[in-house]
Amino acid sequence: MKKVYLVFCLLCISYFSLFAQSKSIKEAYSDFTVNRTNPVTAKIIAKTLTLYKRTDELTTKQITSLAYHLGKMYEETENPNEAIVYYEQSLKGEPNYFVPYRALGFIYLNKSRVFADQMRAANQAKDAVAYAKAREEYKLVMLKSIPHLEKYQACEPDDETLAIITSFYKFIKDTQSLTSMEARLVLSEKCVSLLDDE
């Protein structure tokens, strides 16, 4: 009985895979534009990934939109490492799209919190070696976060992001970056806030 059930499942999977591949790219992309507004599920991610594999049939704008939304889906399902991959892919298609910069900056910022907690614990325990190690790890992760946050801040200035950037440069005693920050954060006319994927 188990063998019959297994064969049936395999046939169903094969059928649905064949059906998914046989959809026209226009239909598949249209489904994606609807699905991306729905709550994220494993099924929606799987469909989006299947569509993303058909890049040779998509425009650059569509690929960029797919990559961004895959990043967002992975971020919403608490899979930051996959989110990073797709957010970075979206920036290859549209480097002036500032929303992924914010997402990447905050993903790395969240990753740095583990090391900030370790620094606090080491400081309370008066463990200089553990503190130095945690501080170095914190700095490395934040050095990934800050460029993204700066690009976002240049397009969509907000006090919270500015405070994070400023605080980090003060923490690592980088006065040169602090003094040149204003010039780097000049509002860019090239900022893209919405992706046009048609």
Side-chain angles (χ1 to χ4, degrees):
M1 184 69 177
K2 286 183 181 180
K3 288 182 181 180
V4 173
Y5 179 72
L6 182 61
V7 169
F8 177 73
C9 288
L10 289 172
L11 286 173
C12 286
I13 290 170
S14 299
Y15 172 77
F16 287 120
S17 296
L18 182 63
F19 178 73
Q21 289 296 325
S22 67
K23 267 191 174 183
S24 77
I25 196 68
K26 189 173 181 178
E27 290 172 313
Y29 196 81
S30 179
D31 288 349
F32 157 72
T33 61
V34 171
N35 286 336
R36 70 184 181 197
T37 62
N38 294 329
V40 180
T41 64
K43 185 176 179 180
I44 288 175
I45 292 174
K47 283 183 174 184
T48 308
L49 283 169
T50 300
L51 178 59
Y52 190 74
K53 290 176 184 172
R54 296 172 68 182
T55 56
D56 56 325
E57 301 173 68
L58 298 163
T59 68
T60 301
K61 289 181 178 184
Q62 289 172 327
I63 295 166
T64 301
S65 179
L66 276 165
Y68 167 73
H69 284 92
L70 277 166
K72 187 176 177 197
M73 289 175 193
Y74 279 119
E75 185 179 9
E76 287 177 12
T77 57
E78 297 182 12
N79 192 339
N81 293 330
E82 286 296 318
I84 288 169
V85 170
Y86 288 102
Y87 282 140
E88 288 177 349
Q89 287 296 316
S90 73
L91 290 171
K92 288 179 182 174
E94 179 50 80
N96 295 315
Y97 185 38
F98 67 84
V99 178
Y101 287 115
R102 181 183 192 283
L104 287 164
F106 278 93
I107 288 171
Y108 285 118
L109 179 66
N110 287 335
K111 286 178 172 249
S112 77
R113 291 191 171 126
V114 170
F115 303 113
D117 291 342
Q118 289 175 3
M119 286 188 316
R120 278 190 284 284
N123 192 37
Q124 288 175 347
K126 298 187 186 329
D127 184 343
V129 173
Y131 180 86
K133 183 180 180 209
R135 186 181 193 281
E136 189 58 31
E137 293 291 332
Y138 172 80
K139 182 178 173 183
L140 289 173
V141 175
M142 285 302 293
L143 286 171
K144 292 179 181 178
S145 175
I146 293 299
H148 297 297
L149 292 176
E150 284 188 352
K151 288 177 182 175
Y152 170 74
Q153 182 70 14
C155 290
E156 188 78 14
D158 75 68
D159 293 338
E160 177 190 12
T161 304
L162 184 60
I164 291 167
I165 296 167
T166 303
S167 173
F168 175 70
Y169 284 136
K170 286 180 181 177
F171 177 75
I172 64 168
K173 297 178 173 91
D174 187 346
T175 54
Q176 182 179 2
S177 292
L178 269 173
T179 55
S180 64
M181 187 168 56
E182 191 173 317
R184 286 192 314 279
L185 299 183
V186 172
L187 187 62
S188 174
E189 292 178 12
K190 296 180 182 180
C191 295
V192 174
S193 61
L194 291 173
L195 284 178
D196 173 23
D197 59 354
E198 294 301 320

